[in-house]
Amino acid sequence: MKIDVVQDQSRFVLSAVHSLEEDVVLGAILVALTVFVFIRSFRGMIICAVSIPASLISTFTLMKILGFTLNNLTLLALSLASGIVIDDAIIVMENIYRHMEDKGESPMQAAASGLKEIAPAVVSTTLSLLVIFLPLSFMHGIVGRFMFHFGMTMAFSITVSLVFAFVLTPMMSSKLLKKSVHVEKTSRDTAVNRFIDSRYTRMLKWALAHRKTAVISALLIMLSSIPAVMLVGKDFMPRDDRSEFSIHIKAPEGTSVDEMDHVMSDIERKLKNIKEVTNVLTSVGGGEDRSVSEGDIYVKLLHLKKRSKTQDDLANDARKILNEYPTLRAAIYDVGGVGGGGQAKFQVRLTGPDLTKLKEYADALVVKMKNKKGFADVDTSLQFGKPEVRLIIDRPRAADLGVSAGDISRAMQLFVSGTLDITKYKVLDELYEVRTRLEERFRKNPTALLNLPIPATKEHMPQTPVRLDQVASVEETPGPS
């Protein structure tokens, strides 16, 4: 016997964790190199690089206090924050270094005076970022539930970065930076800084000399974002090729377990013939009501790097297989993800008092949507054709015999569903409910049910037993499911 893991959602979380680790390490290296290129100080490079892990580790503490976990949204926030938390430290450290070079101050003096001079600007920068991310945590609806963890994690990391910029960076600068000797040439007198300064100065002079043109150009660029937004596609969450998808299949009502198992096995065999499919897991009895006429097939694909077709292409290949079974109603869903998967991306809810009219409108809408480009797996949850037995009460006859509709309802609950507790049974400290119902051969036979007497109650004590067929009749009809 061989046991294999078919579906494992943890691999996506682990991948996100590894991605965060790469972002932190790579971000620290790139930031350190950037600082070294412009300031030409190895010690200053170390001071700035330390702020990234320090801020993120402190953010974990705040996440723990609020009960947050490492999930897709918090990891996304931490990855994004790894490039933001360094900003305050760079600004503070650069100003401290400038005081040492331009004014000849000692590292201790430069740390105090440089921080005092630049503090209002750093606070303003941090608050501007908090104004962007913190309101995300207070959004309403489904989006708000997702964005709460993201917004709060971002706010934590940005706030902590400000604290470290005001505490850790000046302290390390006062201890690690060497006292600068006042010379004519500073760290800004490099080829890179001269190149950037000359281009920036030239552009700034042109903008100040042509103020109207600069303002009009800025307005046009801002207004151009409106049509750009209209042209960009919109979605609740970006779709990702996760190398897996799920198929939900509905057979006609009344399909037996054996018939359903045979059809699902046949589809499973054909799906395995697709070379990009690695595993197929089939289950019968799916859906909200666990109906035997419904089933699910989980399809696992090769890793994205090992196949030429996309997940959508392979899903379309699966649809071609499903089209060979015209009596089945099938839909393909994404698995997992932030939204949880297993649901259609576009849903319409129809309500009304008349089921017949409701079905008529739903079927008409399904036909129109199937004929419109862009829709796939269009279906309706309202189905007629589920076999059911209706008990029709002869109310005048029942009234003459002293039988109420409640008496008949309780009788059916006792005989068929077994939902009534007739007594309690105690074993040691455990109390068990005792319920009774007819054997299956009687429950499935409407004629046998009609021959049963209606149990007497305190309110209903007839002199002679009243059978169900005296006050009711049965009718077998297809009903909605």
Side-chain angles (χ1 to χ4, degrees), residues 294-312:
E294 297 184 25
D296 294 280
I297 301 178
Y298 168 77
V299 182
K300 187 175 181 180
L301 310 174
L302 287 171
H303 192 273
L304 180 61
K305 296 180 180 180
K306 298 180 181 180
R307 51 184 165 87
S308 57
K309 290 185 177 182
T310 65
Q311 178 178 308
D312 290 338

Side-chain angles (χ1 to χ4, degrees), residues 20 23-24 27-28 31 52 56 77-86 157:
L20 175 62
D23 290 343
V24 172
V31 167
I52 296 180
L56 295 184
L78 291 171
S79 299
L80 181 60
S82 64
I84 296 178
V85 296
I86 191 72
S157 59

Side-chain angles (χ1 to χ4, degrees), residues 3 9 11 36 59 63 68 121 127 180 193 214 219 255 261 267 294 328 344 398 405 414 416 431 437 463 467 477:
I3 299 177
Q9 296 296 317
R11 69 183 191 275
F36 184 78
T59 303
M63 290 171 59
F68 290 179
L127 290 178
S180 177
N193 284 324
L219 289 174
T255 303
D261 181 64
I267 297 175
E294 297 184 25
L328 300 181
L414 179 64
V416 179
L431 189 64
R437 66 174 179 174
Q463 295 181 354
R467 298 193 312 274
T477 60

Side-chain angles (χ1 to χ4, degrees), residues 354-408:
D354 190 338
L355 287 177
T356 304
K357 283 291 184 181
L358 198 62
K359 184 178 185 304
E360 179 184 339
Y361 296 146
D363 291 342
L365 186 60
V366 167
V367 172
K368 290 183 179 181
M369 292 176 68
K370 284 184 176 180
N371 294 330
K372 190 174 182 62
K373 186 178 179 181
F375 288 102
D377 304 330
V378 182
D379 198 3
T380 172
S381 59
L382 180 60
Q383 296 185 57
F384 277 85
K386 183 176 182 179
E388 67 177 16
V389 177
R390 294 183 180 180
L391 190 68
I392 303 173
I393 301 175
D394 187 347
R395 295 186 180 274
R397 176 66 173 166
D400 293 340
L401 295 175
V403 179
S404 66
D407 297 332
I408 299 175

Side-chain angles (χ1 to χ4, degrees), residues 412-428:
M412 297 306 297
Q413 288 180 327
L414 179 64
F415 294 150
V416 179
S417 62
T419 57
L420 295 179
D421 300 338
I422 61 173
T423 186
K424 305 289 185 181
Y425 179 67
K426 186 175 182 181
V427 178
L428 298 179

